[in-house]
């Protein structure tokens, strides 16, 4: 056996003796793809997160009570969620980014919106799609786009 | 005959078999049975009402707009009974229908939830129900929506609950063949239309038609990129068109609320209590949607746990409210003379009091013992004279609260299509 063969064999034995699972054991946690959402937000979670995503602060208890009352009092949950999201977006207390700022850097806005509402980056296709739509639909506002994100299916999961 | 001809002929033949039958009423199709009326309103006169204070008038006629009788209210509690406006009806309600005086909630705990479930499912509830889980057998709403042909939209079935305590979950069951797909629209208007919520929800983002289409397309795109891994429970679902109708109605009522028009629309000098408010909103809903099946409940009489005189006052107010509701139905085009209304408490109250005295020295009443008095009910069935026997009193025992579901099914013509076993029977004594 040549010296080189001996070195290769020893190196292989040393590498093979490393037990990677002892080092990187993740227990029962399943590694998910970026942004993969497998849990449905509870009603309270949805309303709490919606408020925080828009206002950047925890929802005041009185506001949460109001949203909960409205939610419990109506049977068509999709309808009432839509109403609550619209009410949040229309509140005079909400300060949204201006449409001019959005249009000044559409790509950054799309990136930020995905991060804010979906906790992930947009795919290249999503980024291209949204940039194209925002540029093509000239009267599309920040409010309209936030409404789309907050009433879509993905936003109901985490 | 070549293959293409065969397929064309077979398609034509099967299409012929499926052609709808247009009924004289203008409805397409029909359930197996024939309808007696096209609308049913079930008023759960709930909260626990004894026959002693209602039909037997032990403290005088506390329900003068519903029941015959002119006996004066007992002097010791008379000062606690609020004056109501004159009855909107020319004669007591019972003259327009059949009054069952020996009705029974015959099995199960004498609690509000069990009583409601028995009335809305037509099933005995002989065990303590889990309040966090929906009942395993279908409600009248699901039976109605599923077993009409074509199947009925949620907009035709409404559950109007007085409060959010216990009751919102009664719009559909956990039965695997029924459930949310066939549930009723539920609303608790006393909460949903309170001023703070109406103020918050009354305005919508102003989407022009073009903008609405753009937003819908964007949403469809975003949704197409997401595959959910668990089932989303959205409760019952209305079609987009019906959702628009419902939203428009909600906005109208919310604007009435914020405009101060719903504070005391009946002009009651002492104001309206929450039962009456619930009935007022039920009238608004009936006016707008003319549902085929409406269930509305009351509960203010439950103050009887600590205040007997307050209970009698709530009974008096509920009496006025129910007559007001019937008067509205009879003045609603499309509902007038084509509606049967059934009025029944869910449970009674104990014979023996609980020793809590009110300001008049009267002792309060619970409904916990399951004694005979807490199971005795009345049931009033009102409707057009060609359908419902008028001014009739059925005093013989036999009718039970579980009979209401088969009665509604019979009135709306789908009783023969229900595959689930119902222990009750339609109240034939009320029919002409």
């Amino acid at each position: 056996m040549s010296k080189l063969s001996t070195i290769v064999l020893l190196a292989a034995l040393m590498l093979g003796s490393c037990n990677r699972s002892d080092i990187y054991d993740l227990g029962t946690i399943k590694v998910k793809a970026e942004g993969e959402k497998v849990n449905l937000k509870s009603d309270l979670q949805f309303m709490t997160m919606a408020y925080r995503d828009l206002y950047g602060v925890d929802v005041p208890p009185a506001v949460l009570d109001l949203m909960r009352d409205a939610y419990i009092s109506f049977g068509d949950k999709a309808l009432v969620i839509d109403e609550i999201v619209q009410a949040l977006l229309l509140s005079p207390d909400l300060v949204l980014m201006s449409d001019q700022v959005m249009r000044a850097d559409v790509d950054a806005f799309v990136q930020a919106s995905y991060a804010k509402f979906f906790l992930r980056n947009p795919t290249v296709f999503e980024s291209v799609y949204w940039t194209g739509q925002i540029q093509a639909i000239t009267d599309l506002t920040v409010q309209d786009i936030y409404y789309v994100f907050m009433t879509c299916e993905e936003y109901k999961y985490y | 005959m070549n293959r293409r001809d065969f397929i064309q002929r077979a398609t034509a033949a099967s299409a012929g078999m499926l052609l709808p039958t247009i009924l004289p009423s203008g409805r397409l199709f029909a359930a197996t049975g024939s309808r007696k009326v096209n609308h049913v309103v079930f008023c759960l006169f709930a909260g626990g009402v004894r026959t002693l204070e209602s039909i037997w008038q032990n403290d005088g006629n506390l329900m003068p707009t519903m029941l015959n009788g002119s006996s004066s209210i007992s002097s010791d509690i008379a000062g606690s009974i609020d004056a109501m406006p004159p009855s909107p009806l020319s004669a007591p309600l019972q003259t327009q229908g059949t009054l069952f005086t020996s009705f029974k909630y015959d099995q199960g705990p004498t609690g509000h939830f069990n009583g409601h479930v028995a009335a809305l499912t037509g099933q005995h509830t002989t065990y303590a129900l889990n309040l966090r889980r929906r009942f395993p057998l279908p409600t009248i709403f699901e039976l109605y929506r599923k077993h009409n042909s074509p199947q009925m939209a949620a907009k035709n079935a409404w559950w109007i609950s007085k409060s959010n305590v216990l009751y919102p979950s009664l719009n559909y069951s956990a039965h695997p063949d029924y459930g949310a797909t066939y549930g009723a629209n539920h609303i608790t208007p006393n909460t949903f239309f309170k001023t703070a919520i109406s103020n918050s929800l009354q305005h919508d983002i102003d989407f022009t038609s073009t903008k609405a289409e753009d937003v819908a397309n964007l949403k469809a795109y975003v949704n197409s990129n997401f595959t959910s891994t668990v089932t989303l429970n959205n409760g019952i679902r209305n079609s987009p068109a019906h959702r628009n109708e419902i939203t428009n109605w909600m906005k109208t009522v919310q604007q009435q609320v914020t405009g101060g028009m719903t504070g005391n629309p009946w002009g009651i000098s002492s104001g309206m209590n929450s039962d009456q408010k619930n009935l007022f909103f039920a009238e608004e809903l009936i006016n707008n949607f003319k549902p085929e099946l409406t269930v509305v409940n009351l509960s203010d009489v439950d103050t009887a746990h600590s205040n007997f005189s307050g209970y009698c006052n709530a009974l008096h107010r509920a009496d006025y409210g129910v007559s007001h509701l019937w008067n509205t139905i009879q003045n609603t085009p499309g509902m007038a003379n084509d509606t049967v209304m059934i009025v029944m408490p869910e449970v009674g109250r104990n014979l023996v009091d609980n020793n809590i005295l009110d300001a008049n020295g009267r002792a309060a009443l619970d409904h916990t013992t399951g004694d005979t008095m807490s199971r005795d009910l009345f049931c009033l069935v009102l409707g057009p004279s060609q359908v419902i026997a008028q001014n009739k009193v059925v005093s013989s025992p036999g009718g039970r609260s579980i009979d209401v579901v088969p009665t509604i099914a019979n009135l709306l013509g789908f009783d023969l299509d229900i595959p689930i076993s119902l222990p009750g029977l339609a109240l034939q004594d009320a029919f002409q």
Side-chain angles (χ1 to χ4, degrees):
Chain A
M1 187 181 287
S2 68
K3 273 188 178 176
L4 181 62
S5 300
T6 306
I7 291 167
V8 170
L9 180 61
L10 284 171
L13 284 170
M14 285 171 69
L15 286 171
S17 66
C18 293
N19 189 342
R20 296 173 70 93
S21 64
D22 289 343
I23 301 168
Y24 298 109
D25 184 10
L26 294 174
T28 56
I29 299 170
K30 183 188 164 201
V31 179
K32 303 181 185 78
E34 186 192 10
E36 186 184 358
K37 300 175 180 71
V38 294
N39 297 306
L40 189 62
K41 292 174 186 170
S42 71
D43 308 334
L44 268 180
Q45 284 171 331
F46 181 92
M47 289 181 261
T48 306
M49 290 179 191
Y51 190 93
R52 187 169 187 86
D53 287 345
L54 282 178
Y55 292 81
V57 294
D58 287 340
V59 57
V63 175
L64 185 59
D65 283 348
L66 215 58
M67 290 196 285
R68 272 190 66 203
D69 279 351
Y71 183 84
I72 295 166
S73 303
F74 206 81
D76 186 334
K77 300 306 177 193
L79 186 154
V80 78
I81 284 288
D82 196 282
E83 289 292 307
I84 289 171
V85 167
Q86 290 194 52
L88 289 174
L89 285 166
L90 285 167
S91 169
D93 298 333
L94 178 65
V95 181
L96 286 176
M97 171 195 294
S98 75
D99 298 336
Q100 289 81 356
V101 171
M102 170 183 76
R103 290 185 180 280
D105 191 347
V106 172
D107 189 52
F109 171 77
V110 171
Q111 294 281 336
S113 296
Y114 269 81
K116 178 194 280 280
F117 296 111
F118 293 167
L119 304 175
R120 67 177 175 88
N121 295 318
T123 64
V124 174
F125 291 112
E126 286 169 330
S127 196
V128 168
Y129 173 84
W130 272 105
T131 305
Q133 292 296 310
I134 292 169
Q135 284 165 349
I137 306 169
T138 52
D139 62 346
L140 203 60
T141 64
V142 173
Q143 186 182 66
D144 299 335
I145 295 165
Y146 280 10
Y147 170 78
V148 169
F149 275 95
M150 295 179 75
T151 54
C152 75
E153 291 299 302
E154 185 168 348
Y155 192 63
K156 293 169 184 160
Y157 295 80
Y158 68 95
Chain B
M1 184 187 296
N2 64 26
R3 184 170 174 273
R4 178 174 292 179
D5 283 342
F6 172 78
I7 292 170
Q8 282 178 346
R9 290 184 188 205
T11 306
S14 57
M17 281 162 42
L18 294 173
L19 277 178
T21 304
I22 300 177
L23 302 172
S25 64
R27 293 174 61 233
L28 293 178
F29 300 96
T32 309
S34 59
R35 285 186 162 199
K36 291 182 169 66
V37 286
N38 285 306
H39 306 270
V40 172
V41 175
F42 180 19
C43 178
L44 267 162
F45 200 79
V49 176
R50 294 203 304 189
T51 52
L52 269 183
E53 287 76 33
S54 52
I55 54 170
W56 304 127
Q57 304 180 10
N58 213 34
D59 275 293
N61 190 359
L62 293 161
M63 299 164 60
T65 76
M66 291 174 64
L67 303 175
N68 292 331
S70 56
S71 56
S72 55
I73 296 171
S74 299
S75 58
D76 60 335
I77 63 167
S80 301
I81 307 301
D82 296 324
M84 291 294 109
S87 172
L89 308 170
S90 57
L93 268 183
Q94 76 167 92
T95 62
Q96 297 182 48
T98 300
L99 177 65
F100 294 83
T101 60
S102 295
F103 229 61
K104 286 280 183 192
Y105 169 68
D106 62 337
Q107 293 184 32
T110 51
H112 301 301
F113 195 65
N114 281 73
H116 273 74
V117 171
L120 290 178
T121 62
Q123 304 286 347
H124 295 299
T125 57
T126 51
Y127 54 96
L129 299 175
N130 185 335
L131 302 182
R132 290 176 178 273
R133 289 193 189 149
R134 289 175 186 267
F135 193 64
L137 293 170
T139 61
I140 183 62
F141 306 115
E142 295 155 86
L143 297 173
Y144 157 75
R145 286 192 58 199
K146 183 164 184 175
H147 299 301
N148 265 280
S149 179
Q151 292 176 344
M152 289 297 173
K155 196 186 76 165
N156 282 317
W158 284 85
W159 164 223
I160 306 164
S161 70
K162 154 74 188 306
S163 78
N164 281 328
V165 180
L166 303 178
Y167 305 122
S169 67
L170 293 174
N171 62 336
Y172 60 88
S173 71
H175 194 288
D177 297 334
Y178 294 88
T181 307
Y182 300 103
N185 269 301
H186 160 255
I187 186 168
T188 306
N190 282 334
T191 304
F192 193 76
F193 292 127
K194 67 184 181 185
T195 307
I197 292 179
S198 293
N199 264 327
S200 301
L201 299 187
Q202 68 175 318
H203 302 296
D204 275 350
I205 298 173
D206 188 17
F207 293 131
T208 61
S209 57
T210 313
K211 177 71 79 65
E213 196 178 328
D214 289 336
V215 165
N217 288 337
L218 291 169
K219 197 149 103 172
Y221 169 78
V222 176
N223 284 339
S224 72
N225 287 337
F226 180 72
T227 307
S228 60
T229 49
V230 292
T231 307
L232 182 63
N233 177 13
N234 264 331
I236 69 112
R237 269 185 177 274
N238 292 283
S239 68
H242 289 171
R243 193 168 280 175
N244 271 346
E245 281 183 52
I246 292 168
T247 305
N248 289 339
W249 172 73
M250 279 164 41
K251 301 297 162 196
T252 305
V253 178
Q254 283 160 351
Q255 280 158 18
Q256 287 175 8
V257 172
T258 55
M261 296 157 67
T262 57
N264 187 6
W266 291 355
I268 295 173
S269 57
S270 49
M272 292 169 70
N273 70 357
S274 52
D275 275 351
Q276 291 171 329
K277 286 275 182 71
N278 198 41
L279 289 168
F280 162 74
F281 286 119
E283 291 177 353
E284 294 294 299
L285 194 149
I286 283 169
N287 254 319
N288 193 79
F289 296 112
K290 301 172 180 56
E292 290 198 338
L293 177 60
T294 308
V295 182
V296 56
N297 77 334
L298 312 177
S299 70
D300 281 345
V301 294
D302 203 33
T303 191
H305 283 294
S306 59
N307 184 347
F308 179 86
S309 301
Y311 156 69
C312 293
N313 191 33
L315 201 55
H316 186 60
R317 284 176 169 275
D319 163 76
Y320 178 78
V322 168
S323 292
H324 201 283
L325 173 63
W326 181 244
N327 188 54
T328 296
I329 291 167
Q330 294 311 313
N331 285 289
T332 301
M335 298 276 289
N337 299 314
D338 196 15
T339 301
V340 164
M341 183 161 85
I342 300 171
V343 186
M344 181 191 77
E346 87 286 38
V347 292
R349 306 194 84 87
N350 300 344
L351 178 64
V352 179
D353 63 68
N354 64 11
N355 292 323
I356 299 174
L357 301 181
D358 65 22
N360 298 317
R362 290 295 198 96
L365 299 164
D366 299 324
H367 48 86
T368 50
T369 61
D371 67 359
T372 303
M373 184 57 67
S374 63
R375 296 188 179 284
D376 284 348
L377 312 174
F378 71 86
C379 181
L380 181 57
V381 184
L382 305 158
S385 58
Q386 68 275 19
V387 176
I388 300 299
Q390 305 287 290
N391 203 18
K392 180 179 177 181
V393 176
V394 178
S395 54
S396 56
R400 300 175 294 173
S401 63
I402 55 166
D403 293 338
V404 171
V405 165
T407 301
I408 294 172
N410 181 284
L411 287 164
L412 294 177
F414 62 92
D415 50 337
L416 301 176
D417 302 276
I418 298 173
I420 301 281
S421 172
L422 290 172
L425 298 167
L427 295 167
Q428 297 292 341
D429 281 342
F431 299 156
Q432 288 286 19

